[in-house]
Amino acid sequence: MKKLLALVCIAAIGASVFAEEPVNVYFDANRLIEEDLFGNWHELTETARFLSPAQKNTLYAAHKKDAVIPFLANWFVGFGVGSALQGDITGFTTVLLLDVAGTAFLVYGFQPIFQFSNGPDPSDTEEYLAYSDEMNRRMNRNIPFLLAGCGFFLASGIFSLVRPWTYAASWNSALDSALNSGADAAVSFFPLSDGQSLGFGVRIDL
């Protein structure tokens, strides 16, 4: 009777100690995802083998990326704000650089018009016509800059509207595969006895 009681106590203690491990593994997996999902993918795959299905579902739901709000933010605000909200640093940097470049080229391209607004009085016909001709020459010279600015904004617009969807799909796919691609580890307890003492063992099948 004493041996049976001792065996039950040892098994209970061992189970309680081992029960703490999935909690630590859960936080480790959560940290790997938050730090860098793509960079830590292989390590996360190994860690996820010790997670329960419920823990995997919880992690996936907590870190799944949505594309709707980033899409709307990129459309209405611009400058990669939506991609920044999504955590997509590459997308944010790309859109920001394209928008800044497009703005700079357009401002430079329209510079003659800004200067013309402070030109001579239209009542002075001769001077006004001469200034108008000069402005037209400058505008013609700046057409390549205007076209470049429009091109940058066009590229930025297309990229910023497509990127949130492709990034979310790539992130969610990597997250799902990391959490579910590896086979789960099988854990079992078994008693040990040499005839005089009792103990227990833990077997982990990977």
Side-chain angles (χ1 to χ4, degrees), residues 40-169:
N40 296 330
W41 188 89
H42 292 288
E43 186 176 356
L44 178 60
T45 301
E46 294 300 318
T47 302
R49 298 173 66 183
F50 298 94
L51 295 172
S52 67
Q55 289 175 320
K56 293 179 181 181
N57 292 335
T58 300
L59 283 172
Y60 184 81
H63 294 284
K64 180 182 178 181
K65 296 289 186 182
D66 180 69
V68 176
I69 293 178
F71 170 83
L72 294 176
N74 276 350
W75 176 260
F76 290 105
V77 181
F79 293 96
V81 172
S83 294
L85 293 175
Q86 197 177 28
D88 179 13
I89 303 303
T90 300
F92 164 68
T93 304
T94 302
V95 177
L96 179 62
L97 291 177
L98 289 172
D99 284 349
V100 169
T103 301
F105 275 97
L106 288 180
V107 168
Y108 184 83
F110 283 113
Q111 187 179 13
I113 294 181
F114 303 146
Q115 294 175 342
F116 184 73
S117 62
N118 298 320
D121 190 341
S123 60
D124 189 346
T125 306
E126 185 175 347
E127 183 178 359
Y128 181 80
L129 290 176
Y131 192 84
S132 179
D133 290 340
E134 177 63 20
M135 187 204 69
N136 289 333
R137 284 194 295 270
R138 291 184 180 181
M139 284 299 300
N140 290 333
R141 185 184 60 191
N142 285 2
I143 286 178
F145 295 98
L146 296 174
L147 293 176
C150 292
F152 278 119
F153 271 115
L154 178 62
S156 171
I158 295 174
F159 182 84
S160 64
L161 297 183
V162 174
R163 178 68 178 186
W165 303 100
T166 58
Y167 181 78

Side-chain angles (χ1 to χ4, degrees), residues 22-38:
V23 176
N24 295 331
V25 172
Y26 176 86
F27 286 113
D28 286 342
N30 187 72
R31 174 183 56 81
L32 292 172
I33 296 171
E34 291 181 346
E35 286 180 353
D36 183 5
L37 170 63
F38 297 107

